[in-house]
Structures are given as structure tokens and as C-alpha cells.
Amino acid sequence: MVAGDHFEQMKDIYCMTTFYDPQTDLLWVGTKGQAIVYDQNRKKVQVIQERQGLNVGNNVLTIGKDAQGYFWLGGGKQVARYDPRRDHLRNYSLSGHLSGCYAQCTDYKGTTWFGSRGGLFWYDAKSDSILQLKREELSDDVVAVASIDSTWLVVSQPYGIYLMDLKKYYRSGETDLHLYNEKNGFTGVEPNQDGMYLDSNNELWITTSTELVRFTPQKLNVSQNSLSVRIAKCNGERIPFGASQVRLPRNQNSTVLTFDAIAFNRPNPVQYAWKKSTDSIWSPWQEENYAIISQLKDGKTGIEVRARIVGLPLGNLAGTRMDVLVSMALYRQAWFFPTLLSIVTLLVIVTLVLLIKTFSSMVRIGKQAKMFQLQAILSQLNPHFIFNVLAALQSVILSANLQKANEYLVKMSGLIRGFLDASISAGFSRTKNIRETELPLSKELEILDHFIQFQQLIYPDRFTYELIMDSAISPEKLTVPPMLIQPFVENSIKHGLLQKGNMGKLTVHIYLDEKRTLVVDIADDGIGIEKAEALMRQSHLLYT
């Protein structure tokens, strides 16, 4: 306590916060589990503690007085209101949260605001409860809050301070926020508990972990500068201003687009999201200012980009669009391989019909026909599968991720080796006994495991895999037609799990039924067959 040149330290307590009430000339001190009131002679005149019902936590961290004459005491657990006229105390939780109260203020309209670990709260007299101000920008710890006359409510956040326009809030209910931190003038780090004081010159003094800040509202630039975004480069080459489209080299359907955001007020990093104009879902927000876009279809595809500044109101988004022109050779067209496969399939079917007629006298013509049908399926799968693998590897190489590309190559070599072994086993066997063209179940599962690992490498964190096998099955002794399981698993991943948008699960259950028939049950928790079929009907890759 200081009076003129005289300084006196009160050593009997430690002080977490103070509040001076000029109407009664009394000093309130928050300390361990209680609030102590001193008169002008530094004598205790009142103690409010657990005996009176105080239950705000281990320490009283903030004390204030509202326009109705109530005293509010906050702590690490909740907040309490004390009525000195009736000597009555009531405890409040912050909108159901036991998140504590670290700072408070009462604005020019008489509303009392509270800073908490759960965000910014206010006392609603109608419901006699403390409610939260629902704004994502103010959802982190608020340890300091103050009001500046009728203009601003100042609220601390870990990454800076916000100014909320009080007049606009009471006029229209809109929470207009302005963020200040070290990037646009407010250099103090971590504004401290109850560390805001408005002096007689209407200047706000703020204590922080690094410095004492004098905040002069009249000198602030509170204009909301606009944010704009453009696509500045394509594969490292600059795109002229005003350009609405860019053409890729012939036979190239992948590109790296670089974004550029323009803003005069950038207190926090810029985040970007993008999507193809034919997509309905935007990419997740990212601070990287580029996107790797692959598998563009032949012709024109629109790429849409939007940007925001973290911490500013979420409606403050900027957007742009650029058309990417792709020119692919006939054999590189998206429809070419499906059409070619259809022709091959037709030829194989015709060949099968001739073969069936040729071997019509054979006793085991049914099983022999199944063998040729399997060969037809494999003839479709060979180019289709290898094309998909190489397309995925191309995207990784374009991103210049050498380590990941090397992992892809290692996985791909093992996978294609097993795949070709299976193809050779079924396609080049001269035996008439179909059982001799089959592979052990263990070998089939090894190829399947390679395939699933490769898919998880291409699409990380998109799905998990579980193989459940009946203990009565001996995978080394049982044989199955080669590559029987893989196409169904591929469909489950591609059309079910990858369309889901979050983590999914693939389960392969192998067991013997009551007739001792081998059953392979493939299940996923993806979008379902009906939705998958609807998406396939919309796709330009219309193949069977």
C-alpha cells in the first residue's frame, strides 16, 4: 500500500487480485480460498470464505462490482455473487462448465463479462445464469477482459487480443471482432490474469509476460481490410495477372498450382482450401500455399481456391477460380482403357464360346469353362491394375517426394510380381485339370496383403484392415482360383471406403460353412453399395 512517499507491505497474506470500491472506500483482496476486505486504515472489516458458502476454488482470482452493486468473486472452479445489502452469497457455474473464472469487467450497458478457460461468458439477469458467447475465435483461454467506454470490449487470447464492437453488439447482436498481435502492432505475449486497467485518459494498460503495454484505442486502425487470393503459378511457371485459364503440356494431366493471398492486415497465417469444380467437398484447410492436382480429365476442368486468415471472423473468406486445359492422346484418354478392355472382353467371350463348342464332348466342360472365364477376368485385370498402380506412382513422383516414391516402388514390385505369377499360373497352364491351375490360399492371401498395404500407402489413414480366418482352415493345403479375392477387395476400397471421407475399416473373413464350402466374406463400413453405384453412374470411367 502506497500513500505519498510511504510504502508498506502487508505480509500476513499473499494476494492474487485486488479491487478498490470508491463508493465505500474499501479494498478487496483475493487470496487463498477467501476474499478479505480492508478499510482505509488497513484493518480487516470483513472476510468472505467457505463458511459463508464461497466455493470458487483454491484461490480467489478476480473480484469486481457490477452496476447493481453485487460483488463477483471468481476462482479456478466457478464464480460467486455476493450481495452486501443482504449478506447473501450464491455460486454459479459457467454455462454448465467447471472451467473457472480468471477476469471480469462490467461494460457501459451494465453487462458483466467473465474470462474463463472455456472462453468468454456473460451474466444474463433474465435467466439468472452465466452464458457463453458462442464464437469460435474466442473459444481458447480468456484470462483478461476489459471495456473501453461504450466502444470496445477487449478480450485476451493466447495468440493476441480481440476488440469487440460493443455498440454494434447491442444494436444488432453481431460480434464484430478485430484481432491484434505481434504481426500488426500488439507485441505483448500472453496478456495476464486481471491485467487490464483503464486510466483517466481512457488509455488501457495491459500486463503481459514480456512487457507492459499502453493501449490507445483512438490511434487504432480498426478497418476490416479485404483479403484476396489468386492462383499465381502452374508447375512453377508464373501465370499472368487476369488470366482465367492455363494449358498443360500435351499428355500431362497432373499439375502443381501455387496460391498467393493479398491482405494488408495479416495478424495470423493464411489458410487455403481447394477443390475441382466437379467436386462437392473442399480439401481440408492448409497453410501450404500449393496443391498437387492429379487425374485431370481431358478438356477443361475448373479449380476453385478459397483463403482465410486464422482467427478472423470465419465469414472473411476470399475465393478465385482457374480453368485448367488438358490435352491427352487417344491412348491416354480416360475412356480408352475401359473401351479396350471391353473389346478384349468381347473377344475373349467369343473365344470362350468357340472353345466351349470345341470341347462340348468333354465330361468336365463346366469346370473347363470356368477356367477360361477366369482367364478372361485376368486379361481385364492386367492392364487395368497396372495402369492404376502407375498413375498413383506418377502423382508421388510429381510431388518430388523421393522417399515416398521409393516406398511405392518397393511395394509395387512385390505386388506386381505376385500378380503376374498368378496370371501366368491361370493363363498359361496346359493342363485340363482346373485344380492344377489354382494357387494355395496362403499365396492368394500374400498377394492380397501386398495389394492392401499398397492401397494404405497411397491413401494413408483412410482405412484399417483385419483378416479373420477359421482355425479349421489350413491355408497351405487349400487352393483357390488365382486373383479371386483381389477385385472384390479393390471395389470395396475404391467405391466404398475412399468415398467415405474419414477412417473406415475393411474386414476379410474366411471360413467353412456347414457344407464344408470355403466362404470368403468381404465387408466394409463405407458409403454402401447404393451410393457407390450412384457415384459410378456419374463417373466418366463407365466400365464394367
Side-chain angles (χ1 to χ4, degrees):
M1 304 186 73
V2 179
D5 295 331
H6 176 70
F7 172 83
E8 178 181 343
Q9 183 176 3
M10 303 174 65
K11 299 182 179 180
D12 57 333
I13 60 170
Y14 70 92
C15 173
M16 302 301 295
T17 187
T18 61
F19 172 76
Y20 174 68
D21 182 12
Q23 295 176 342
T24 60
D25 196 20
L26 295 177
L27 180 71
W28 291 64
V29 176
T31 182
K32 185 175 182 180
Q34 59 185 356
I36 303 174
V37 184
Y38 294 88
D39 64 11
Q40 59 270 29
N41 298 317
R42 302 180 296 283
K43 292 182 180 180
K44 292 182 183 179
V45 296
Q46 189 176 7
V47 178
I48 300 175
Q49 54 189 354
E50 187 176 357
R51 210 177 335 175
Q52 283 90 352
L54 184 65
N55 183 25
V56 298
N58 294 331
N59 298 289
V60 176
L61 303 176
T62 179
I63 303 174
K65 187 179 181 181
D66 64 17
Q68 287 73 40
Y70 295 110
F71 288 89
W72 291 90
L73 289 72
K77 183 178 181 182
Q78 54 186 0
V79 67
R81 186 184 69 179
Y82 175 67
D83 184 354
R85 292 157 295 197
R86 297 190 299 140
D87 191 26
H88 178 262
L89 189 74
R90 178 179 175 182
N91 295 296
Y92 293 82
S93 63
L94 300 187
S95 191
H97 301 276
L98 293 176
S99 51
C101 176
Y102 306 117
Q104 61 176 295
C105 77
T106 300
D107 65 20
Y108 79 105
K109 282 282 191 178
T111 302
T112 301
W113 300 87
F114 302 95
S116 166
R117 184 183 297 118
L120 181 65
F121 294 78
W122 60 283
Y123 174 69
D124 179 30
K126 292 182 179 179
S127 62
D128 191 24
S129 60
I130 298 178
L131 307 178
Q132 185 175 14
L133 186 68
K134 300 291 186 180
R135 280 302 293 259
E136 182 179 342
E137 297 91 339
L138 303 177
S139 59
D140 288 320
D141 295 358
V142 174
V143 295
V145 59
S147 65
I148 302 175
D149 53 55
S150 62
T151 54
W152 304 112
L153 184 71
V154 185
V155 183
S156 72
Q157 286 287 269
Y159 43 83
I161 62 171
Y162 278 103
L163 266 65
M164 186 177 87
D165 190 329
L166 282 174
K167 288 184 178 180
K168 183 178 289 188
Y169 174 76
Y170 286 117
R171 184 172 61 248
S172 62
E174 181 182 354
T175 52
D176 186 13
L177 300 174
H178 304 267
L179 175 63
Y180 295 89
N181 58 20
E182 75 281 355
K183 295 182 180 179
N184 63 348
F186 184 83
T187 57
V189 177
E190 295 178 339
N192 290 330
Q193 170 200 324
D194 252 0
M196 293 186 180
Y197 174 74
L198 190 67
D199 67 15
S200 58
N201 294 322
N202 214 31
E203 292 186 326
L204 188 67
W205 296 80
I206 304 176
T207 61
T208 73
S209 297
T210 56
E211 59 192 31
L212 178 66
V213 179
R214 186 179 67 180
F215 202 78
T216 306
Q218 296 82 1
K219 297 181 179 180
L220 289 178
N221 177 13
V222 293
S223 61
Q224 288 284 13
N225 294 302
S226 61
L227 171 69
S228 62
V229 62
R230 63 182 292 264
I231 300 176
K233 296 180 181 179
C234 177
N235 291 332
E237 297 291 331
R238 289 191 174 275
I239 301 175
F241 279 92
S244 61
Q245 64 182 25
V246 62
R247 182 180 297 275
L248 299 184
R250 183 168 174 79
N251 291 332
Q252 179 179 324
N253 65 346
S254 298
T255 184
V256 179
L257 297 180
T258 304
F259 317 133
D260 185 21
I262 303 171
F264 294 100
N265 181 10
R266 196 181 287 193
N268 269 351
V270 177
Q271 290 185 338
Y272 304 90
W274 62 273
K275 73 179 185 72
K276 299 176 185 176
S277 56
T278 55
D279 296 338
S280 59
I281 300 176
W282 289 84
S283 71
W285 288 105
Q286 63 182 47
E287 293 189 11
E288 293 81 7
N289 66 332
Y290 65 89
I292 301 173
I293 303 174
S294 58
Q295 297 182 348
L296 292 168
K297 66 179 182 180
D298 188 62
K300 181 171 66 175
T301 302
I303 305 299
E304 299 178 26
V305 180
R306 62 185 184 184
R308 69 178 184 182
I309 296 178
V310 182
L312 289 185
L314 298 180
N316 186 24
L317 299 178
T320 188
R321 174 191 167 107
M322 177 76 69
D323 290 330
V324 179
L325 304 180
V326 174
S327 177
M328 305 292 291
L330 182 66
Y331 68 92
R332 299 286 299 274
Q333 299 280 356
W335 53 265
F336 180 78
F337 276 103
T339 303
L340 179 62
L341 291 176
S342 298
I343 296 173
V344 172
T345 303
L346 181 61
L347 292 176
V348 171
I349 292 175
V350 172
T351 304
L352 284 175
V353 172
L354 295 175
L355 288 173
I356 291 173
K357 289 182 178 180
T358 302
F359 296 105
S360 59
S361 60
M362 298 176 60
V363 177
R364 306 184 63 181
I365 189 171
K367 291 185 177 181
Q368 192 70 30
K370 290 183 179 180
M371 182 182 72
F372 287 120
Q373 289 171 4
L374 178 61
Q375 292 178 15
I377 293 173
L378 286 173
S379 71
Q380 297 178 64
L381 287 174
N382 272 311
H384 170 66
F385 175 78
I386 295 174
F387 175 79
N388 285 349
V389 169
L390 292 177
L393 183 60
Q394 180 192 33
S395 296
V396 176
I397 294 174
L398 282 175
S399 68
N401 190 336
L402 299 182
Q403 181 178 355
K404 192 171 183 180
N406 185 56
E407 294 177 11
Y408 272 55
L409 283 171
V410 173
K411 291 289 185 182
M412 187 182 73
S413 63
L415 180 57
I416 292 183
R417 186 183 300 112
F419 184 86
L420 293 179
D421 288 345
S423 301
I424 293 172
S425 174
F428 294 92
S429 176
R430 298 182 179 275
T431 179
K432 294 182 180 181
N433 186 354
I434 192 171
R435 305 297 295 182
E436 295 180 13
T437 69
E438 296 183 345
L439 291 177
L441 178 60
S442 59
K443 181 66 176 178
E444 175 77 358
L445 294 179
E446 178 182 343
I447 298 172
L448 180 65
D449 185 67
H450 277 302
F451 173 78
I452 293 175
Q453 287 187 37
F454 191 81
Q455 293 294 314
Q456 288 177 324
L457 191 63
I458 298 175
Y459 308 104
D461 301 324
R462 296 299 299 275
F463 68 92
T464 59
Y465 166 60
E466 183 181 17
L467 173 65
I468 305 173
M469 187 181 301
D470 194 336
S471 59
I473 294 177
S474 177
E476 298 293 337
K477 297 180 180 179
L478 272 177
T479 61
V480 294
M483 298 301 293
L484 180 66
I485 305 174
Q486 184 269 341
F488 297 94
V489 169
E490 181 181 3
N491 277 347
S492 183
I493 295 172
K494 181 175 181 180
H495 301 296
L497 293 170
L498 295 184
Q499 305 298 328
K500 185 178 181 183
N502 53 21
M503 179 66 76
K505 182 176 182 180
L506 171 69
T507 304
V508 178
H509 185 196
I510 303 177
Y511 61 95
L512 297 174
D513 64 8
E514 61 274 10
K515 297 181 180 179
R516 303 295 293 174
T517 301
L518 186 67
V519 179
V520 181
D521 186 353
I522 301 164
D524 66 80
D525 61 354
I527 64 173
I529 292 177
E530 293 182 0
K531 288 185 178 180
E533 289 177 346
L535 289 176
M536 288 177 64
R537 286 194 295 271
Q538 299 172 7
S539 173
H540 60 277
L541 296 175
L542 295 175
Y543 58 85
T544 302

